[in-house]
Protein backbone atom coordinates (compact mmCIF):
# COMPACT_ATOMS: atom_id res chain seq x y z
CA UNK A 1 0.00 0.00 0.00
CA UNK A 2 1.41 3.39 -1.03
CA UNK A 3 -0.93 6.09 0.33
CA UNK A 4 1.25 9.11 -0.51
CA UNK A 5 0.71 12.02 -2.89
CA UNK A 6 3.91 12.75 -4.79
CA UNK A 7 4.64 15.58 -7.23
CA UNK A 8 7.52 15.56 -9.71
CA UNK A 9 9.13 18.90 -10.51
CA UNK A 10 11.84 19.60 -13.05
CA UNK A 11 12.51 21.28 -16.38
CA UNK A 12 11.64 19.46 -19.62
CA UNK A 13 13.82 16.46 -20.44
CA UNK A 14 14.87 15.41 -16.94
CA UNK A 15 13.01 12.10 -17.19
CA UNK A 16 10.02 12.74 -14.92
CA UNK A 17 7.67 10.86 -17.24
CA UNK A 18 9.98 7.86 -17.55
CA UNK A 19 10.31 7.55 -13.78
CA UNK A 20 6.60 8.15 -13.15
CA UNK A 21 5.70 5.32 -15.56
CA UNK A 22 8.06 2.82 -13.89
CA UNK A 23 7.08 3.78 -10.35
CA UNK A 24 3.39 3.66 -11.20
CA UNK A 25 3.83 0.00 -12.23
CA UNK A 26 6.16 -0.96 -9.39
CA UNK A 27 3.98 0.54 -6.63
CA UNK A 28 0.68 -0.14 -8.42
CA UNK A 29 -0.46 3.45 -8.10
CA UNK A 30 -1.85 5.81 -10.72
CA UNK A 31 0.23 8.59 -12.25
CA UNK A 32 -1.21 11.61 -13.95
CA UNK A 33 0.84 13.70 -16.36
CA UNK A 34 -0.92 16.89 -17.39
CA UNK A 35 1.10 17.01 -20.64
CA UNK A 36 -0.16 13.52 -21.56
CA UNK A 37 -3.73 14.40 -20.58
CA UNK A 38 -3.60 17.55 -22.72
CA UNK A 39 -2.16 15.65 -25.71
CA UNK A 40 -4.88 13.02 -25.29
CA UNK A 41 -7.54 15.75 -25.29
CA UNK A 42 -5.98 17.15 -28.43
CA UNK A 43 -5.95 13.74 -30.16
CA UNK A 44 -9.64 13.40 -29.25
CA UNK A 45 -10.22 16.93 -30.61
CA UNK A 46 -12.05 18.03 -27.46
CA UNK A 47 -12.65 21.80 -27.09
CA UNK A 48 -10.18 21.79 -24.18
CA UNK A 49 -7.50 20.04 -26.26
CA UNK A 50 -7.97 22.37 -29.21
CA UNK A 51 -7.82 25.40 -26.92
CA UNK A 52 -4.62 24.10 -25.27
CA UNK A 53 -2.84 23.41 -28.59
CA UNK A 54 -1.70 26.96 -29.28
CA UNK A 55 -0.04 27.25 -25.88
CA UNK A 56 1.62 23.83 -26.11
CA UNK A 57 2.97 24.38 -29.62
CA UNK A 58 4.67 27.59 -28.53
CA UNK A 59 6.00 26.20 -25.25
CA UNK A 60 3.75 28.35 -23.07
CA UNK A 61 1.77 27.17 -20.06
CA UNK A 62 -1.85 26.30 -20.71
CA UNK A 63 -4.21 28.47 -18.58
CA UNK A 64 -4.63 27.11 -15.06
CA UNK A 65 -8.35 26.46 -15.28
CA UNK A 66 -8.01 24.04 -18.21
CA UNK A 67 -5.34 22.04 -16.44
CA UNK A 68 -7.12 22.09 -13.10
CA UNK A 69 -10.31 20.74 -14.65
CA UNK A 70 -8.36 17.87 -16.21
CA UNK A 71 -6.49 16.92 -13.06
CA UNK A 72 -9.44 17.33 -10.71
CA UNK A 73 -11.46 14.90 -12.82
CA UNK A 74 -8.75 12.27 -12.32
CA UNK A 75 -8.08 12.74 -8.59
CA UNK A 76 -11.60 13.12 -7.24
CA UNK A 77 -13.11 9.68 -6.95
CA UNK A 78 -9.88 7.84 -6.21
CA UNK A 79 -10.13 5.69 -3.08
CA UNK A 80 -8.91 7.73 -0.09
CA UNK A 81 -6.07 5.35 0.72
CA UNK A 82 -4.70 5.38 -2.83
CA UNK A 83 -1.59 7.45 -3.37
CA UNK A 84 -0.59 8.80 -6.79
CA UNK A 85 2.13 10.60 -8.70
CA UNK A 86 1.62 13.92 -10.44
CA UNK A 87 4.03 14.56 -13.30
CA UNK A 88 4.21 18.09 -14.69
CA UNK A 89 1.57 19.38 -12.31
CA UNK A 90 1.57 21.71 -10.45
CA UNK A 91 3.70 24.02 -12.57
CA UNK A 92 2.98 27.33 -10.84
CA UNK A 93 2.46 28.44 -7.27
CA UNK A 94 -1.20 29.15 -8.05
CA UNK A 95 -1.62 25.56 -9.31
CA UNK A 96 0.06 24.28 -6.14
CA UNK A 97 -2.37 26.24 -3.99
CA UNK A 98 -5.32 24.97 -6.05
CA UNK A 99 -4.00 21.42 -5.69
CA UNK A 100 -3.74 21.82 -1.92
CA UNK A 101 -7.38 22.94 -1.90
CA UNK A 102 -8.54 19.95 -3.95
CA UNK A 103 -6.54 17.55 -1.76
CA UNK A 104 -7.88 19.10 1.43
CA UNK A 105 -11.38 18.21 0.32
CA UNK A 106 -10.18 14.63 -0.13
CA UNK A 107 -8.36 14.50 3.25
CA UNK A 108 -5.06 14.22 1.38
CA UNK A 109 -1.99 16.43 1.25
CA UNK A 110 1.20 16.57 -0.84
CA UNK A 111 3.53 14.23 1.05
CA UNK A 112 6.54 14.57 -1.21
CA UNK A 113 7.83 16.87 -3.95
CA UNK A 114 10.75 15.44 -5.93
CA UNK A 115 13.00 17.93 -7.70
CA UNK A 116 14.80 16.44 -10.75
CA UNK A 117 18.10 18.26 -11.26
CA UNK A 118 20.07 18.13 -14.52
CA UNK A 119 22.31 20.20 -16.77
CA UNK A 120 20.54 22.17 -19.57
CA UNK A 121 22.52 21.00 -22.63
CA UNK A 122 22.15 17.32 -21.66
CA UNK A 123 18.39 17.85 -21.35
CA UNK A 124 18.19 19.38 -24.81
CA UNK A 125 20.07 16.42 -26.27
CA UNK A 126 17.59 14.06 -24.63
CA UNK A 127 14.56 15.99 -25.93
CA UNK A 128 15.67 16.57 -29.51
CA UNK A 129 16.33 12.81 -29.86
CA UNK A 130 13.04 11.79 -28.27
CA UNK A 131 10.52 9.96 -30.45
CA UNK A 132 7.20 8.38 -29.54
CA UNK A 133 4.70 5.92 -30.90
CA UNK A 134 1.54 7.80 -31.96
CA UNK A 135 -0.53 4.75 -31.02
CA UNK A 136 0.70 3.42 -27.64
CA UNK A 137 2.68 6.57 -26.67
CA UNK A 138 5.79 4.53 -25.76
CA UNK A 139 8.83 6.81 -25.89
CA UNK A 140 12.23 6.13 -27.43
CA UNK A 141 15.48 8.02 -27.98
CA UNK A 142 17.24 7.80 -31.33
CA UNK A 143 20.62 7.30 -29.61
CA UNK A 144 20.04 6.24 -25.99
CA UNK A 145 16.94 4.02 -26.36
CA UNK A 146 16.34 3.30 -30.06
CA UNK A 147 13.59 0.96 -31.24
CA UNK A 148 14.67 -2.51 -32.45
CA UNK A 149 13.75 -1.73 -36.07
CA UNK A 150 14.50 1.57 -37.74
CA UNK A 151 12.12 4.18 -36.26
CA UNK A 152 9.25 1.73 -35.83
CA UNK A 153 7.52 1.14 -32.49
CA UNK A 154 8.62 -2.20 -30.97
CA UNK A 155 5.04 -2.87 -29.85
CA UNK A 156 2.84 -1.44 -32.64
CA UNK A 157 5.31 -1.60 -35.56
CA UNK A 158 4.23 1.82 -36.81
CA UNK A 159 6.42 4.84 -37.52
CA UNK A 160 7.57 6.86 -34.53
CA UNK A 161 6.89 10.58 -34.48
CA UNK A 162 8.47 13.59 -32.78
CA UNK A 163 6.43 15.77 -30.44
CA UNK A 164 5.75 19.11 -32.15
CA UNK A 165 7.18 20.92 -29.10
CA UNK A 166 10.42 18.88 -29.08
CA UNK A 167 12.30 21.19 -31.45
CA UNK A 168 15.16 23.23 -30.06
CA UNK A 169 13.46 26.66 -30.14
CA UNK A 170 10.34 25.46 -28.34
CA UNK A 171 12.44 23.41 -25.89
CA UNK A 172 14.38 26.55 -24.94
CA UNK A 173 11.09 28.43 -24.52
CA UNK A 174 9.69 25.62 -22.32
CA UNK A 175 12.86 25.76 -20.23
CA UNK A 176 12.55 29.54 -19.84
CA UNK A 177 8.96 29.12 -18.69
CA UNK A 178 10.14 26.49 -16.20
CA UNK A 179 12.72 28.81 -14.62
CA UNK A 180 10.29 31.68 -14.42
CA UNK A 181 7.04 30.02 -13.36
CA UNK A 182 7.81 26.56 -12.03
CA UNK A 183 11.15 26.80 -10.25
CA UNK A 184 9.63 29.01 -7.49
CA UNK A 185 7.55 25.97 -6.53
CA UNK A 186 10.67 24.47 -4.97
CA UNK A 187 10.56 27.18 -2.29
CA UNK A 188 6.87 26.49 -1.74
CA UNK A 189 7.45 22.80 -1.08
CA UNK A 190 10.69 23.42 0.85
CA UNK A 191 8.67 25.60 3.24
CA UNK A 192 6.19 22.73 3.60
CA UNK A 193 9.13 20.40 4.46
CA UNK A 194 8.30 17.92 1.70
CA UNK A 195 11.00 18.73 -0.88
CA UNK A 196 13.68 16.18 -1.87
CA UNK A 197 16.14 16.41 -4.77
CA UNK A 198 17.48 13.71 -7.08
CA UNK A 199 20.39 13.83 -9.52
CA UNK A 200 18.53 13.21 -12.79
CA UNK A 201 21.65 13.12 -14.96
CA UNK A 202 22.50 9.53 -14.07
CA UNK A 203 21.02 6.34 -15.57
CA UNK A 204 17.31 5.49 -15.39
CA UNK A 205 18.06 2.77 -12.81
CA UNK A 206 20.14 5.06 -10.66
CA UNK A 207 17.47 7.79 -10.61
CA UNK A 208 14.86 5.14 -9.86
CA UNK A 209 16.87 3.90 -6.90
CA UNK A 210 17.24 7.43 -5.54
CA UNK A 211 13.47 7.92 -5.69
CA UNK A 212 12.70 4.51 -4.21
CA UNK A 213 15.01 5.30 -1.29
CA UNK A 214 13.09 8.52 -0.72
CA UNK A 215 9.76 6.67 -0.96
CA UNK A 216 11.04 4.18 1.63
CA UNK A 217 11.70 7.03 4.06
CA UNK A 218 8.09 8.33 3.88
CA UNK A 219 5.95 7.83 6.92
P1 LIG B 1 4.95 18.15 -20.78
O1 LIG B 1 4.43 16.93 -21.46
O2 LIG B 1 4.89 18.05 -19.29
O3 LIG B 1 6.31 18.55 -21.29
O4 LIG B 1 3.94 19.34 -21.16
C1 LIG B 1 3.78 19.75 -22.51
C2 LIG B 1 3.04 21.08 -22.55
O5 LIG B 1 1.74 20.92 -21.97
C3 LIG B 1 3.69 22.20 -21.77
O6 LIG B 1 4.72 22.87 -22.49
C4 LIG B 1 2.48 23.11 -21.51
O7 LIG B 1 2.14 23.83 -22.66
C5 LIG B 1 1.37 22.10 -21.25
N1 LIG B 1 1.26 21.74 -19.81
C6 LIG B 1 1.51 20.55 -19.23
N2 LIG B 1 1.29 20.58 -17.92
C7 LIG B 1 0.89 21.84 -17.64
C8 LIG B 1 0.52 22.52 -16.44
N3 LIG B 1 0.52 21.91 -15.24
N4 LIG B 1 0.15 23.82 -16.53
C9 LIG B 1 0.12 24.46 -17.72
N5 LIG B 1 0.48 23.90 -18.88
C10 LIG B 1 0.86 22.59 -18.85
Amino acid sequence: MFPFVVVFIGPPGVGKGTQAAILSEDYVIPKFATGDLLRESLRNKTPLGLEAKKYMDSGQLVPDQLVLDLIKDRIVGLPKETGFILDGFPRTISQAIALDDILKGLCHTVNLAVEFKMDEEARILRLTGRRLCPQCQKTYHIVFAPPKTDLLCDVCAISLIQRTDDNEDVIRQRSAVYWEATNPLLGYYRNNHVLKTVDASSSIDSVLLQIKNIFASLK
Side-chain angles (χ1 to χ4, degrees):
M1 170 91 73
F2 186 91
F4 305 109
V5 176
V6 179
V7 305
F8 281 179
I9 304 171
V14 289
K16 303 182 298 292
T18 302
Q19 296 295 333
I22 300 172
L23 291 160
S24 161
E25 280 205 0
D26 286 2
Y27 289 79
V28 199
I29 48 170
K31 54 113 182 148
F32 304 108
T34 37
D36 290 345
L37 296 174
L38 288 165
R39 281 183 290 276
E40 186 188 329
S41 302
L42 184 54
R43 279 196 303 279
N44 295 334
K45 297 194 168 53
T46 68
L48 188 152
L50 296 171
E51 168 68 12
K53 180 177 166 36
K54 57 176 182 277
Y55 300 97
M56 297 171 77
D57 282 350
S58 61
Q60 301 295 333
L61 290 183
V62 170
D64 280 0
Q65 201 49 53
L66 299 184
V67 180
L68 282 170
D69 286 348
L70 269 182
I71 211 79
K72 199 171 173 180
D73 268 5
R74 297 303 195 289
I75 302 176
V76 174
L78 282 178
K80 218 179 120 246
E81 57 288 352
T82 304
F84 51 88
I85 298 172
L86 295 174
D87 161 17
F89 177 87
R91 256 181 161 89
T92 60
I93 301 249
S94 62
Q95 289 183 7
I97 293 169
L99 173 64
D100 285 347
D101 270 358
I102 297 171
L103 292 175
K104 209 167 168 187
L106 304 170
C107 300
H108 256 316
T109 182
V110 173
N111 303 101
L112 171 68
V114 182
E115 175 198 10
F116 287 64
K117 243 188 170 156
M118 189 176 163
D119 170 78
E120 162 124 4
E121 291 312 313
R123 287 193 294 105
I124 290 178
L125 202 64
R126 275 192 189 174
L127 288 173
T128 48
R130 179 162 72 178
R131 299 290 183 278
L132 79 158
C133 171
Q135 194 156 298
C136 70
Q137 310 303 313
K138 183 174 162 56
T139 56
Y140 299 85
H141 189 281
I142 50 175
V143 179
F144 308 132
K148 294 194 185 93
T149 318
D150 218 17
L151 290 184
L152 291 182
C153 175
D154 293 345
V155 183
C156 310
I158 56 173
S159 293
L160 302 180
I161 55 165
Q162 188 170 26
R163 266 172 56 171
T164 48
D165 59 352
D166 272 351
N167 69 71
E168 194 163 337
D169 285 349
V170 181
I171 291 168
R172 291 202 187 272
Q173 174 59 30
R174 287 157 61 202
S175 295
V177 167
Y178 172 82
W179 292 114
E180 191 186 326
T182 308
N183 200 52
L185 270 183
L186 300 179
Y188 182 85
Y189 286 120
R190 192 175 293 116
N191 286 341
N192 288 353
H193 309 288
V194 294
L195 183 69
K196 300 278 182 198
T197 300
V198 294
D199 170 12
S201 61
S202 48
S203 68
I204 291 178
D205 285 348
S206 150
V207 180
L208 188 62
L209 188 63
Q210 293 176 61
I211 301 174
K212 285 188 169 179
N213 284 337
I214 297 171
F215 279 11
S217 70
L218 291 174
K219 287 184 201 84

